[in-house]
């Protein structure tokens, strides 16, 4: 099973809302990633978790808060977002950080009003 | 600064017309070159990993090759369902992937 799942598929939120994106993998991978992708642009790395510890934070604004409850789950908590944060948010996993290919989920399409 | 550059930005081919997509990268410190396919509104789908110059990988109508400074994705006799954006990404020795801007491929029936 090489599947990474993400929920929800679509999310519309106001600038004062708090919401969470969820990601799950059952491949036994020990590294998980959050990316942001704007239209017609490549994915931009936001966070890397390796063995459930945050190992890379690409200077992402504090209104994005990642959480890795266990090796299979990754959350992205959203608070006080701006309209420019509207994008496709992608989760990925790999066997270990810095090794091997990353497998991506289908993404969550986020719209901030 | 580590860089990955893809060309062309967009490519339109007739069904059955073979061609190649290019991905060039910063020469020093490459630890892996990855190709992905991405359909609109979906996550990238992993295609190939290449690690050393001279390496080749094939899958159906696609073949990826790697030299010391660039990678090619060759598509042979493409079909309309091969239409997608093809992304290459490189790892330069840390946990990050550096993505190119992609090639939007359209196959016309």
């Amino acid at each position: 099973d090489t599947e990474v799942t993400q929920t929800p598929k679509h999310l519309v939120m106001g600038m004062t809302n708090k919401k969470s994106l969820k990601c799950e993998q059952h491949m036994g991978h020990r590294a998980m990633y959050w990316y942001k992708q704007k239209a017609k642009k490549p994915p931009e790395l936001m966070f890397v978790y390796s063995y459930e510890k945050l190992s890379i934070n690409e200077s992402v604004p504090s209104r994005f808060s990642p959480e890795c409850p266990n090796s299979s789950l990754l959350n992205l908590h959203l608070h006080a977002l701006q309209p420019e944060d509207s994008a496709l948010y992608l989760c990925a996993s790999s066997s270990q950080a810095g090794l091997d290919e990353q497998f991506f989920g289908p993404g969550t399409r986020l719209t901030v009003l | 600064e580590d860089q990955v550059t893809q060309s062309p930005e967009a490519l339109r081919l007739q069904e059955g017309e073979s061609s190649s997509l290019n991905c060039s990268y910063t020469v020093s410190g490459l630890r892996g070159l990855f190709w992905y396919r991405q359909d609109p509104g979906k996550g990238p789908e992993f295609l190939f990993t290449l690690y050393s110059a001279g390496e080749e990988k094939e899958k159906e109508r696609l073949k990826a090759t790697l030299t010391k400074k660039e990678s090619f994705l060759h598509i042979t006799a493409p079909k309309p369902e091969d239409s997608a954006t093809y992304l290459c990404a490189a790892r330069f020795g840390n946990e990050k992937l550096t993505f190119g801007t992609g090639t939007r491929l359209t196959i016309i029936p």
Side-chain angles (χ1 to χ4, degrees):
Chain A
D1 183 7
T2 57
E3 189 175 274
V4 176
T5 59
Q6 290 187 243
T7 55
K9 290 185 178 180
H10 302 276
L11 179 62
V12 179
M13 60 186 292
M15 290 190 284
T16 58
N17 293 156
K18 288 184 180 181
K19 296 286 184 182
S20 297
L21 309 185
K22 297 184 183 300
C23 173
E24 188 169 8
Q25 57 88 13
H26 293 289
M27 295 178 277
H29 288 173
R30 302 313 301 266
M32 296 186 77
Y33 311 78
W34 279 116
Y35 288 85
K36 173 183 178 180
Q37 187 177 27
K38 301 284 272 185
K40 298 188 178 181
K41 298 289 187 182
E44 296 175 39
L45 183 66
M46 301 174 73
F47 304 103
V48 179
Y49 272 85
S50 179
Y51 289 87
E52 299 152 54
K53 293 185 179 179
L54 185 65
S55 65
I56 292 180
N57 178 338
E58 289 290 290
S59 301
V60 177
S62 60
R63 57 186 183 266
F64 295 91
S65 176
E67 178 196 18
C68 190
N70 59 54
S71 60
S72 299
L73 294 173
L74 186 65
N75 298 321
L76 186 63
H77 302 298
L78 314 173
H79 175 54
L81 294 192
Q82 303 297 310
E84 59 264 30
D85 296 322
S86 298
L88 182 68
Y89 287 83
L90 296 163
C91 173
S93 71
S94 64
S95 58
Q96 294 184 54
L99 294 174
D100 300 327
E101 52 275 353
Q102 295 178 19
F103 293 92
F104 285 81
T108 293
R109 172 67 61 189
L110 174 67
T111 302
V112 182
L113 300 177
Chain B
E1 182 181 337
D2 298 324
Q3 286 192 337
V4 176
T5 304
Q6 289 188 248
S7 63
E9 184 176 321
L11 181 62
R12 291 171 62 89
L13 299 172
Q14 293 290 327
E15 184 173 359
E17 181 184 0
S18 302
S19 188
S20 297
L21 313 182
N22 177 265
C23 172
S24 61
Y25 58 88
T26 307
V27 175
S28 62
L30 183 75
R31 299 288 183 91
L33 190 292
F34 305 85
W35 282 98
Y36 290 86
R37 169 196 169 124
Q38 187 172 25
D39 293 302
K42 298 189 177 180
E45 174 190 348
F46 170 73
L47 294 174
F48 304 109
T49 305
L50 302 166
Y51 288 109
S52 55
E55 191 174 358
E56 298 183 352
K57 295 270 181 77
E58 283 190 71
K59 179 180 179 181
E60 296 180 353
R61 296 177 291 281
L62 299 175
K63 184 168 88 171
T65 62
L66 184 66
T67 72
K68 289 186 177 180
K69 58 181 181 179
E70 57 193 346
S71 178
F72 293 94
L73 184 66
H74 307 277
I75 182 161
T76 302
K79 298 181 178 182
E81 54 262 40
D82 295 321
S83 297
T85 294
Y86 290 84
L87 294 164
C88 79
R91 180 177 291 122
F92 294 103
N94 56 28
E95 299 162 336
K96 291 179 58 174
L97 287 184
T98 300
F99 279 88
T101 52
T103 294
R104 290 193 309 278
L105 178 65
T106 303
I107 308 300
I108 304 162

